[in-house]
Amino acid sequence: MNLISSFIFFCSFFIINGIGSDGYRILAVFPFNSRSHNNIFEGVTKALAKNGHQVDVVSHFKVKNPPKNYKTIINLEGTRGNLVNNFSVQFADYIQGSIIKTISELYGNELCELMGLEEMKKLVKNPSRDPPYDLFITEAWTSPCFIGIGHLFKIPVITISSTMELPWYNEALGNPNSLAYVANAYMDLSEITTFWERLKNVIKLHQTKYEFYKYTGKAQTEAMRKYLDPNTPDVRELEKTVALTFINSFYTYNGVKSKTPAAIDIGGIHIEQDDKQLAPDLQKWMDESSHGVIYFTLGSMVLIETLPKETILSIYAAFEKLAPMRVLMKVANKEKLPPGLPSNVLTSNWVPQIPILRHNNTRVFMTHGGPLSTTESLYHNVPMIGFPLFADQFPNVHLLVKKNTAILMDYKTVTEELLTKALNAVIHDPIYRESAKRESQLFRDRPLTASQTVNFWVEYVIRNGPNVLRSPAADLYWWQDELLDVYGFLALCFLIILAIIIKTLIFIVNQVLELSVPSNTKSSKSFKKD
């Protein structure tokens, strides 16, 4: 009897823990050392590990207390300059002024050189064979050279975007850009409504694609051939072999768009997988903030203390007026702040953001408008004041303003009066809290959780191969996909037919006029000639 009981126990253990023949082995390589980007990647890899798949990760960030099947096989920490708490507001301005060139070279081409690390070379030359990898996952952003690893291993490739759809991987997937009404990620608008906005949207999209291809094409192809295989295809060809892309978006927030089945929304996955808790002293401070808390951060990279001194003093004055309401500010180095910090303000060099937004006493979120921050705030129905600095932060905040869940501010022009007015509006006008609650309900209401969505589509691709979801549009030139050749041909036919009609009418009119000339006039003319 004891033998039978033991057998049942062990069978139950294996089934509950997802161990068995159903689990796949997945290699995930994330070369960009952004904390916020990595949060999305961790959400995906943790979800897969919890569903019984063996996930081997190459990353700059080692997970604390990882799931059982999750393993960091190469830790890239220290191989790149630190980005956490390392951007000044002035550098953010610089990035915004030359964003495609900067991200393509500094956070794209340079990342490809990580394949030259000894540990990466060993992985590439001697990948695990017991069992072999079934799938390769990497980031969809500015270093598509890493797709070459999946190509070398002859396994399907899935990419993850931590932002909304970008023009270059939309083209690779054959995913419609819907330029008539969807603002691309590098427009400072949330929607397209006028002719001039459509014109700007089209020009901006083709400009960003052209720049990205120019800066990355040759450099990243050469890197793959140097570190992976001399016969590796061009990087633009490899981009089109991606089976699908998971995108950190959701239609209730980012808007309804035409999408190929290979572009799959998973907005909120990092929230579902987040298990962080507040430190006891911060938890106590939040619990005691019965009049409410305003949380202020410019994200994991940009330093609040690099704002202009007059801007910080204006923010101080607005915060002081709100007492006894409290303010929590993420400040990397408090000593670099100007003197005069109000007594109702607490600073911390790092704040676990999701537990703060989840707390019942949090009333307002003052944010840079990054995609993770905005989705976290929506998820926990906290109204916002947005200070966008660069890239997709501008359309993100504009979307929130349109939904009555945020107020847009410009850090360059903010004053004590403007910020006080905005704070009072968000705190006291019920439309912001009600709209935030409504958007939270919409964001959470879906047939599958983001984690379930990821697991299903990963297993689907492994079962059915990388080409099942592939759009034929991926093989077309953009002007073919937009039917410009067809419209051009029809326009040419119309012009030819119109020209024939006009020529015919002119001929008929001339004939009628000639026949209508009196015969005596003709005779008179003839007589004069004689």
Side-chain angles (χ1 to χ4, degrees), residues 20 40 45 226 268 290 309 328 360 384 407:
I40 295 295
T45 50
K226 178 181 178 182
S290 57
K309 181 179 179 181
L328 174 63
N360 289 334
M384 289 163 268
I407 292 176

Side-chain angles (χ1 to χ4, degrees), residues 459-520:
E459 293 181 357
Y460 181 91
V461 165
I462 295 173
R463 286 195 307 266
N464 299 301
N467 296 320
V468 179
L469 302 175
R470 193 171 188 273
S471 169
D475 296 321
L476 300 177
Y477 292 107
W478 68 268
W479 44 269
Q480 292 174 317
D481 189 33
E482 300 291 341
L483 292 175
L484 294 186
D485 52 346
V486 174
Y487 291 131
F489 176 77
L490 292 175
L492 179 62
C493 290
F494 174 76
L495 291 174
I496 291 171
I497 294 170
L498 184 62
I500 292 171
I501 292 172
I502 291 172
K503 286 281 189 182
T504 302
L505 288 174
I506 290 173
F507 176 78
I508 292 171
V509 169
N510 286 338
Q511 291 299 311
V512 170
L513 289 175
E514 188 174 337
L515 291 173
S516 65
V517 175
S519 57
N520 58 354

Side-chain angles (χ1 to χ4, degrees), residues 40 140 159-166 169-170 173 175 244-250 254 257 259-260 262-269 454:
I40 295 295
T159 55
I160 306 171
S161 172
S162 61
T163 70
M164 66 178 75
E165 302 93 321
L166 297 178
Y169 67 71
N170 261 354
L173 286 175
N175 193 44
L244 63 83
T245 296
F246 290 126
I247 303 169
N248 180 32
S249 66
F250 194 64
N254 301 94
K257 309 172 185 179
K259 284 191 175 183
T260 172
I264 299 172
D265 286 344
I266 59 164
I269 189 166
V454 162

Side-chain angles (χ1 to χ4, degrees), residues 202-219:
V202 170
I203 293 172
K204 192 72 174 176
L205 178 126
H206 290 293
Q207 175 193 345
T208 53
K209 279 200 305 183
Y210 169 77
E211 290 183 20
F212 179 74
Y213 293 157
K214 179 179 74 171
Y215 294 126
T216 62
K218 182 180 178 182

